[in-house]
Amino acid sequence: MSPSDRPLGDDDAELYEEAADAELYELVAQRLKDAHARVRALDVSDAERTALTRSLLIVTEAAKRDLPAAARRLARFVDDLDSGRLPGPTQG
């Protein structure tokens, strides 16, 4: 039996979960960076830009508590930007 064939023990499962969390964290961090750059480049009023930036900061704060939920919120925000809609306040 090779190491990859053996069943995952509690320690292995925990390491796998930590690696997956780190990968998701890295993805969310990069997508947040990209979203902030896109918001800065928008031709909108200062008030609209401030509101959009606040929405991204809310996603950042949510990532500290629930990374998968924050990733979903960010995906909705980016989808709105992609479709030409200015995202409203992010909801959980």
Side-chain angles (χ1 to χ4, degrees), residues 54-77:
R54 275 197 190 111
S55 292
L56 289 173
L57 292 175
I58 289 168
V59 171
T60 302
E61 188 61 32
K64 296 174 186 177
R65 293 181 304 284
D66 188 347
L67 188 57
R72 290 188 298 272
R73 292 168 82 162
L74 180 57
R76 285 192 302 269
F77 184 95

Side-chain angles (χ1 to χ4, degrees), residues 34-46:
D34 295 344
H36 275 284
R38 289 182 66 183
V39 166
R40 280 192 305 274
L42 289 174
D43 185 22
V44 295
S45 71
D46 286 342

Side-chain angles (χ1 to χ4, degrees), residues 9-52:
D10 288 341
D11 290 341
D12 294 327
E14 189 173 309
L15 286 174
Y16 178 77
E17 186 175 322
E18 287 175 13
D21 286 348
E23 195 172 304
L24 181 58
Y25 179 81
E26 187 175 326
L27 176 66
V28 169
Q30 184 60 51
R31 291 195 77 195
L32 274 166
K33 182 179 174 182
D34 295 344
H36 275 284
R38 289 182 66 183
V39 166
R40 280 192 305 274
L42 289 174
D43 185 22
V44 295
S45 71
D46 286 342
E48 288 172 309
R49 184 174 286 99
T50 298
L52 293 169

